Amino acid sequence: MQKIKSLMTRQGLKSPQESMADLSPVENLRIPSKEELRELREQPIDPLAEQEIIDSIEEIYFSNDSFDMVQHELEKLPPELNLKELEEYRDKLKRQQAAVSKKVADLILEKQPSYVKELERVTALQTNLQLAAVICTNARRQLSVAKEGFTEASLGLLANQRRRQLLTVKCVFFFFITSLLLTFKHYSCISELNSKLQDTLEQIEEQLDVALSKTCKHFDVSHYTKVQMAYTLLGKTQTAMDQLHMHFTQAIHNTVFQVVLGYVELCAGNADTKFQKMQYKDLCTHITLDSYIPCLTDLCKALWEVMLSYHRTMQWHEKHDKQESTPIPVGSSNMSDELLVDRSYVKKKLEHGLTRIWQDVQLKVKAYILGTDMSNFKYDDFIVVLDVISRLMQVGEEFCGSKSEVLQESIKRQSINYFKNYHRARLEELRMFLENETWELCPVKSNFNIAQLHEFKFMGQCRSPSVSPSRQTVTSTSPAQEELSLFQQYIQEGNPFEMHIEHKDEETEDVLASNGYESDELEKSVYQDYDSDSDVPEELKQDYVDEQTGDVPVKSVSRETIRSRKKSDYNLSKSNAPILTNTTLNVIRLVGKYMQMMNILKPIAFDVIHCVSQLFDYYLYAVYTFFGRNDMYESSGLGLISSRLRTTLNRIQESLIDMVCFIPFHGPTEDRKEKVPSPHLSQLVVLTNSGTLYGLAQRVVATESLVFLAEQFESLQSHLDTMMPAAKKPFLQQFYSQTVSTASELRKPIYWIVAAKAIDYEQMLLMMAGVKWDIREIMSQHNVYVDVLLKEFEQFNTRLGDVSRHVRIPLPVSNVLWEHCIRLANRTLVEGYANVKKCSNEGRALMQLDFQQFLMKLEKLTDLRPIPDKEFVETYIKAYYLTENDMEQFIKNHREYSMKQLANLVNVCLGSHINKKARQKLLAAIDDIDRPKR
């Protein structure tokens, strides 16, 4: 039926067939074409049979327009289909459709005359309405002309004249009553009249006082002008000003009480607590966490309206003082003196009231701030609170030049309390992240910068840290309003606290690379130039093969890149993106959040920066604990940990790490509350597998992510320095010079563990022990242990290339690895030479031949120059040729050699050339030397 109604309501004088053709194709009911209608009319169908067909239609087809008949019929199909049954059922549906279509067509044709007649009436009514609209428009125009030319001009003059006459008559009566009171005041009737007039005057003053109080919340110029004029006529200008300040004080109290009461009662529901009888301070303690920010915002909005009214009141008096400062007629000195006194009183009263009103505002907001424990607030919610209070302090500074010490102290107390809890939770969260971190590479774009993160957006906005973010939003988007104060911007409408909640940027962060690369197109373009060279063999198109070693370290970019690249640089050519982990990214975001809080509230800047330093300290300590702690550093003699780094690690352990958390009977003390348990490496990270170079990929990601974090801290130093109090700046400088700058120094101890295990130095010592060094002829062929050692280095080079396919190995990392391996190999050579029991001059020459062969082959594997500890080996070999006197001086000057190595020089080298007494003297000199441990 709804389809039929919608069809009948279509406009236009059309035939039923044309109307049916206008139906939308999405209608469920199929309307027959003209030819089908003609056939249906010509086809004699028994009405009873037709009705039976219609009655046979399922009831659901008449349910509603959203019914899906196709879905309905498909669901009715049996699991096994029969073509004959389907055709019979299809014919049945066609008959039902034809019957319905004919019935609809008959109904339409039957109602067509009524439809056409009603449509004609509608058209006639529309024409009459258009004519009426024209008549009304003309009438309004003529009335407007009459109003301007006659009513406002002529009748307005008459009305003013009538008012003048009435006032003149009233003045006569007033003068008469005044003289009557003065002349016949001794009569009782006159005395009663005087009392009644006094009562009337008091009522007038009461009404004026009520009218004056209304200006404290919503200042209206015309309303205030009338009130002041009335007080001037009464001669009570000073009284009016006293009353006005009392009303402003009362308005502040009533406003904040009603706002807080409304939220408390709303959140309390049907509780029977008599909140209206509570003191405002007690009422503030009943605000729930969910309603805290909305209530604070409404509170500041209401207080802004009061302060704005006071500001506009002062503007009104300044303006009227200027207008009334016209030359005073001669003979009216008494009036002028009285007027000057009134103006001076009003001015001083208003100026004094600024500080008083702002003090009341601060005390009310302070009670609200301290009435709730905000330590469990969400970070974003607490930032909003700081933003609102910062905006309120800006209002106070513009209102009366106040620094808002009361507000600053109260919000500082809450901030320190909040931040200690927040920082403690974040440190525990960081420990959890570190203990679950698998040290996999977080794929970011090559141009990644911390400024792209939401947490650091505020740094791109050039503003004073004392200005709230919402304030900055206004100034950054409206340069024309940059110099305007809040009272100038919102003098007519709006409220500065309506903008305190800033939505995050619509644009999403785009810092992550897809599948480790910035895009598939970029990955393709990396190889495009080189792969297009037709004169390059196919195997070289695929990989760059080191001509010296046959290794295939990394994918190539172009021949120019191949020529310019260093063999020691295992960078992935596909991407030079920063190396960092998800935990690194979380720490950086956390630093941004800390800096936001510091930016909004400078009084806690030092506390925040101290906590920021703890985040870096804990990350550095975790990386060292996981990958760099080893008891063999001291014995290596390589000076892997500098005194500065050792001091930093000891300081972090003493001040931040809770070393007794797992010891029983050690309850939480005040000192331990500030500490965090030492983190533990995830069991998923395996550092003992030689196939992965002892977790080199994880070590690279961990160490280089720390170095990247240190670089980000370096970029933030100037910004942190501007926020740090002058007295605390030495702490920041010390943090950067003694902690941040030591991050790269962790490379030495961490990668030394890989270098110490990657090459079998013990095997080389055993092979050197089997070499005969007391030979009698010069050898032209080096020893086999040199080839074995070089083979170890070649395998090391290959495995570095394999690792670099998963994690980019920066040049400083590969240099440190090669330096460690070479220094360990050279020291192993010296140790092997120091184990020699018998050696001839020809044997010394063979040592030099072996070492030169080692250097020549090694220089083809690495671009590291100069070769580390090259002089360490050469000097030791050459020491075999020293005389007794020279040897004594050599012992004093070369303390880098162990006592065993020096003793071997004396026993093997000089043993056959000096007597026993001289040898004992040299050995005693070796024993007497106090060798510092390195």
Side-chain angles (χ1 to χ4, degrees):
M1 290 301 293
Q2 290 181 357
K3 296 183 180 64
I4 297 173
K5 289 179 181 179
S6 64
L7 178 64
M8 296 302 295
T9 54
R10 292 181 180 275
Q11 295 183 2
L13 297 175
K14 298 180 180 180
S15 66
Q17 293 83 356
E18 292 173 336
S19 298
M20 286 187 290
D22 287 339
L23 283 176
S24 171
V26 299
E27 294 285 355
N28 291 331
L29 179 62
R30 178 180 175 274
I31 303 302
S33 63
K34 295 180 180 179
E35 292 75 11
E36 289 175 330
L37 284 173
R38 190 179 300 110
E39 292 177 2
L40 288 172
R41 288 196 300 272
E42 293 173 356
Q43 220 173 19
I45 298 179
D46 186 3
L48 294 177
E50 179 182 335
Q51 188 61 38
E52 287 181 1
I53 294 175
I54 293 175
D55 293 340
S56 67
I57 300 175
E58 294 182 49
E59 191 68 28
I60 194 172
Y61 277 90
F62 301 98
S63 57
N64 53 57
D65 291 341
S66 62
F67 169 62
D68 189 348
M69 61 183 69
V70 176
Q71 183 68 23
H72 175 68
E73 293 298 339
L74 289 175
E75 290 175 352
K76 288 170 57 179
L77 292 176
E80 296 182 2
L81 302 178
N82 187 292
L83 180 60
K84 184 177 180 181
E85 292 178 356
L86 286 175
E87 288 178 346
E88 291 176 355
Y89 188 66
R90 181 196 62 187
D91 294 339
K92 176 184 176 183
L93 290 176
K94 283 186 174 181
R95 288 194 299 272
Q96 290 176 347
Q97 183 187 20
V100 171
S101 300
K102 186 174 183 302
K103 186 71 174 178
V104 171
D106 292 342
L107 291 172
I108 292 173
L109 291 174
E110 181 182 345
K111 299 296 182 181
Q112 183 184 7
S114 300
Y115 167 72
V116 173
K117 183 178 180 180
E118 192 64 28
L119 191 60
E120 289 175 351
R121 289 180 58 195
V122 171
T123 305
L125 179 60
Q126 184 178 5
T127 303
N128 292 335
L129 288 174
Q130 291 174 348
L131 179 60
V134 173
I135 294 172
C136 290
T137 303
N138 292 334
R140 288 178 180 276
R141 187 184 303 111
Q142 292 171 2
L143 285 173
S144 177
V145 172
K147 180 181 178 182
E148 294 176 1
F150 177 71
T151 306
E152 293 182 352
S154 303
L155 296 182
L157 290 173
L158 292 175
N160 290 335
Q161 178 62 24
R162 183 172 178 275
R163 284 184 61 195
R164 181 180 178 184
Q165 290 177 351
L166 291 173
L167 290 173
T168 303
V169 173
K170 288 182 180 180
C171 283
V172 173
F173 280 112
F174 286 146
F175 282 119
F176 175 75
I177 292 172
T178 303
S179 60
L180 188 66
L181 293 174
L182 292 174
T183 306
F184 303 102
K185 60 182 179 181
H186 53 280
Y187 291 105
S188 59
C189 61
I190 299 300
S191 178
E192 291 176 2
L193 177 61
N194 188 26
S195 300
K196 289 183 179 180
L197 290 175
Q198 283 296 127
D199 293 341
T200 304
L201 182 61
E202 291 177 0
Q203 291 178 6
I204 291 173
E205 290 181 356
E206 288 178 2
Q207 294 297 322
L208 280 176
D209 193 55
V210 172
L212 184 65
S213 66
K214 293 180 180 179
T215 63
C216 296
K217 292 186 178 180
H218 304 287
F219 184 85
D220 181 79
V221 174
S222 60
H223 178 81
Y224 189 75
T225 303
K226 292 177 181 178
V227 172
Q228 284 296 323
M229 186 181 296
Y231 274 109
T232 303
L233 292 173
L234 291 173
K236 295 188 176 182
T237 305
Q238 295 184 14
T239 303
M241 194 51 54
D242 294 338
Q243 289 294 108
L244 181 65
H245 281 79
M246 183 189 70
H247 288 314
F248 268 106
T249 302
Q250 191 65 30
I252 291 173
H253 175 77
N254 293 341
T255 297
V256 297
F257 187 86
Q258 291 300 324
V259 170
V260 176
L261 178 64
Y263 275 93
V264 170
E265 290 182 337
L266 181 66
C267 297
N270 297 324
D272 295 332
T273 308
K274 302 296 183 180
F275 294 114
Q276 293 185 352
K277 296 181 179 180
M278 285 187 178
Q279 294 292 325
Y280 170 74
K281 187 176 181 180
D282 298 330
L283 195 64
C284 291
T285 60
H286 289 78
I287 289 291
T288 62
L289 296 182
D290 292 338
S291 61
Y292 187 88
I293 292 177
C295 182
L296 175 63
T297 307
D298 287 346
L299 198 66
C300 292
K301 285 181 181 179
L303 290 172
W304 162 261
E305 294 294 339
V306 175
M307 288 186 287
L308 179 61
S309 295
Y310 194 89
H311 177 79
R312 296 187 67 186
T313 301
M314 292 190 66
Q315 283 189 330
W316 186 93
H317 282 279
E318 290 174 1
K319 180 180 178 182
H320 280 71
D321 286 350
K322 291 179 181 178
Q323 291 178 351
E324 294 176 2
S325 59
T326 55
I328 299 173
V330 179
S332 57
S333 59
N334 292 335
M335 184 182 297
S336 64
D337 292 342
E338 185 179 347
L339 184 61
L340 290 174
V341 170
D342 285 346
R343 288 181 181 176
S344 176
Y345 181 84
V346 169
K347 184 178 180 181
K348 290 181 180 179
K349 192 75 175 178
L350 287 171
E351 290 175 352
H352 177 71
L354 283 171
T355 306
R356 180 181 171 184
I357 287 175
W358 177 241
Q359 191 68 13
D360 288 344
V361 169
Q362 286 192 89
L363 292 174
K364 297 299 182 184
V365 178
K366 174 188 176 181
Y368 183 84
I369 291 174
L370 299 180
T372 303
D373 182 10
M374 290 189 275
S375 59
N376 295 320
F377 270 35
K378 294 180 180 178
Y379 171 81
D380 292 336
D381 291 341
F382 191 74
I383 285 295
V384 171
V385 173
L386 293 184
D387 188 12
V388 173
I389 300 303
S390 177
R391 173 59 64 95
L392 185 62
M393 288 192 287
Q394 183 188 348
V395 170
E397 186 173 357
E398 295 179 4
F399 186 69
C400 61
S402 171
K403 297 301 180 183
S404 307
E405 290 82 1
V406 175
L407 281 179
Q408 286 198 30
E409 182 59 30
S410 58
I411 199 65
K412 181 180 179 180
R413 283 170 54 186
Q414 285 284 31
S415 297
I416 292 175
N417 181 38
Y418 171 82
F419 196 73
K420 284 183 177 179
N421 286 276
Y422 181 79
H423 178 61
R424 175 69 188 180
R426 299 291 76 75
L427 280 178
E428 289 291 345
E429 187 179 87
L430 178 57
R431 180 169 74 96
M432 181 189 69
F433 277 131
L434 289 169
E435 291 184 345
N436 290 277
E437 178 65 68
T438 56
W439 304 102
E440 296 292 334
L441 195 64
C442 178
V444 295
K445 292 195 172 184
S446 58
N447 63 346
F448 170 74
N449 188 282
I450 60 173
Q452 299 166 359
L453 300 175
H454 286 306
E455 289 77 6
F456 291 90
K457 292 294 184 184
F458 73 96
M459 290 183 60
Q461 302 167 345
C462 300
R463 62 181 176 89
S464 170
S466 62
V467 182
S468 66
S470 56
R471 165 69 171 165
Q472 173 57 24
T473 304
V474 175
T475 57
S476 63
T477 55
S478 308
Q481 296 182 347
E482 216 164 5
E483 301 300 326
L484 297 180
S485 68
L486 294 176
F487 287 97
Q488 290 171 325
Q489 293 178 45
Y490 302 101
I491 190 70
Q492 295 298 333
E493 59 180 356
N495 194 301
F497 295 97
E498 291 175 351
M499 303 175 60
H500 75 280
I501 300 179
E502 296 298 328
H503 297 288
K504 291 187 176 180
D505 295 340
E506 293 293 333
E507 57 178 316
T508 57
E509 291 178 344
D510 188 17
V511 297
L512 297 180
S514 57
N515 299 325
Y517 307 103
E518 298 194 14
S519 69
D520 293 338
E521 295 300 323
L522 177 60
E523 185 180 0
K524 293 177 183 177
S525 66
V526 169
Y527 308 98
Q528 185 174 359
D529 296 336
Y530 181 55
D531 289 345
S532 62
D533 295 340
S534 58
D535 58 337
V536 180
E538 286 297 321
E539 62 271 354
L540 293 184
K541 286 184 180 180
Q542 297 174 2
D543 295 300
Y544 160 56
V545 180
D546 194 318
E547 295 178 0
Q548 304 298 332
T549 65
D551 293 335
V552 187
V554 293
K555 291 286 184 182
S556 58
V557 179
S558 64
R559 287 179 295 181
E560 289 75 12
T561 306
I562 293 173
R563 295 190 190 103
S564 63
R565 75 182 297 278
K566 292 178 176 290
K567 297 184 183 71
S568 301
D569 187 4
Y570 295 87
N571 292 344
L572 275 175
S573 300
K574 299 176 187 176
S575 172
N576 288 322
I579 296 177
L580 69 159
T581 66
N582 288 324
T583 304
T584 320
L585 207 55
N586 284 328
V587 172
I588 293 173
R589 289 184 184 278
L590 203 54
V591 171
K593 289 183 177 182
Y594 281 26
M595 291 180 65
Q596 283 182 32
M597 192 176 300
M598 190 191 326
N599 208 39
I600 294 175
L601 196 66
K602 294 188 73 175
I604 65 166
F606 172 71
D607 302 271
V608 177
I609 290 180
H610 177 68
C611 294
V612 168
S613 69
Q614 288 186 340
L615 294 176
F616 186 85
D617 287 347
Y618 196 68
Y619 195 95
L620 182 146
Y621 186 83
V623 172
Y624 167 74
T625 304
F626 293 166
F627 303 101
R629 179 176 285 172
N630 194 286
D631 297 330
M632 298 176 62
Y633 292 151
E634 304 297 340
S635 61
S636 69
L638 297 176
L640 296 174
I641 298 184
S642 65
S643 59
R644 183 176 64 164
L645 178 57
R646 192 187 311 279
T647 302
T648 297
L649 292 171
N650 290 336
R651 176 189 61 78
I652 295 173
Q653 182 169 302
E654 292 175 4
S655 63
L656 187 61
I657 306 302
D658 185 4
M659 303 302 293
V660 296
C661 60
F662 298 108
I663 300 177
F665 310 111
H666 281 80
T669 62
E670 286 298 323
D671 184 50
R672 288 184 56 204
K673 285 182 180 179
E674 305 297 327
K675 296 184 177 182
V676 190
S678 180
H680 301 286
L681 183 64
S682 171
Q683 295 180 354
L684 299 176
V685 181
V686 180
L687 302 179
T688 56
N689 188 355
S690 61
T692 61
L693 271 181
Y694 306 94
L696 177 60
Q698 288 81 5
R699 294 176 189 272
V700 169
V701 171
T703 310
E704 300 313 305
S705 67
L706 174 64
V707 173
F708 175 79
L709 187 61
E711 291 171 353
Q712 305 315 304
F713 268 78
E714 293 283 357
S715 67
L716 296 173
Q717 182 176 4
S718 59
H719 192 86
L720 292 174
D721 189 68
T722 59
M723 291 189 266
M724 179 67 90
K728 301 292 185 179
K729 286 190 177 182
F731 168 83
L732 186 66
Q733 296 168 359
Q734 185 179 16
F735 168 65
Y736 272 93
S737 62
Q738 297 186 7
T739 304
V740 176
S741 60
T742 61
S744 59
E745 295 183 14
L746 275 182
R747 285 171 172 159
K748 282 190 175 182
I750 290 175
Y751 297 132
W752 179 86
I753 298 175
V754 175
K757 297 179 179 180
I759 293 176
D760 193 350
Y761 304 101
E762 292 297 328
Q763 178 191 10
M764 186 173 66
L765 276 177
L766 292 175
M767 293 185 69
M768 292 178 71
V771 176
K772 186 178 181 181
W773 299 103
D774 55 345
I775 55 178
R776 296 301 176 189
E777 59 181 10
I778 301 295
M779 304 296 293
S780 60
Q781 180 64 33
H782 60 273
N783 283 300
V784 178
Y785 73 88
V786 176
D787 295 327
V788 174
L789 180 59
L790 287 171
K791 186 64 176 177
E792 290 269 336
F793 273 99
E794 289 175 1
Q795 292 176 355
F796 174 70
N797 189 36
T798 302
R799 291 159 76 186
L800 278 181
D802 294 337
V803 173
S804 72
R805 289 183 175 85
H806 304 286
V807 175
R808 176 172 64 90
I809 301 181
L811 182 59
V813 176
S814 61
N815 284 345
V816 168
L817 284 167
W818 277 99
E819 179 184 355
H820 282 333
C821 290
I822 294 172
R823 292 182 72 183
L824 286 169
N826 286 337
R827 288 171 182 269
T828 304
L829 287 173
V830 171
E831 187 66 20
Y833 297 151
N835 290 334
V836 175
K837 302 301 181 183
K838 294 182 180 180
C839 184
S840 62
N841 290 335
E842 291 79 7
R844 307 302 174 203
L846 180 58
M847 289 180 183
Q848 289 183 329
L849 176 64
D850 290 346
F851 186 61
Q852 291 303 319
Q853 178 68 18
F854 171 68
L855 290 179
M856 182 180 66
K857 295 291 184 180
L858 184 65
E859 287 176 348
K860 295 180 181 180
L861 290 175
T862 177
D863 287 329
L864 192 62
R865 298 293 185 275
I867 296 296
D869 279 354
K870 175 183 176 183
E871 294 79 6
F872 184 78
V873 182
E874 291 177 340
T875 302
Y876 189 81
I877 296 175
K878 292 176 182 178
Y880 280 95
Y881 302 101
L882 297 176
T883 62
E884 177 184 344
N885 295 332
D886 292 337
M887 179 61 70
E888 186 175 0
Q889 190 64 34
F890 180 88
I891 292 171
K892 294 179 180 180
N893 294 338
H894 293 275
R895 299 187 177 186
E896 65 269 21
Y897 298 107
S898 66
M899 296 178 65
K900 172 192 171 184
Q901 293 167 352
L902 292 174
N904 181 268
L905 288 176
V906 174
N907 291 324
V908 178
C909 169
L910 300 177
S912 58
H913 304 292
I914 60 175
N915 56 35
K916 185 177 181 180
K917 182 179 180 181
R919 184 167 66 250
Q920 291 295 333
K921 179 183 176 182
L922 290 174
L923 292 175
I926 294 173
D927 291 335
D928 292 341
I929 294 176
D930 183 18
R931 302 181 180 280
K933 294 183 179 181
R934 302 184 60 185

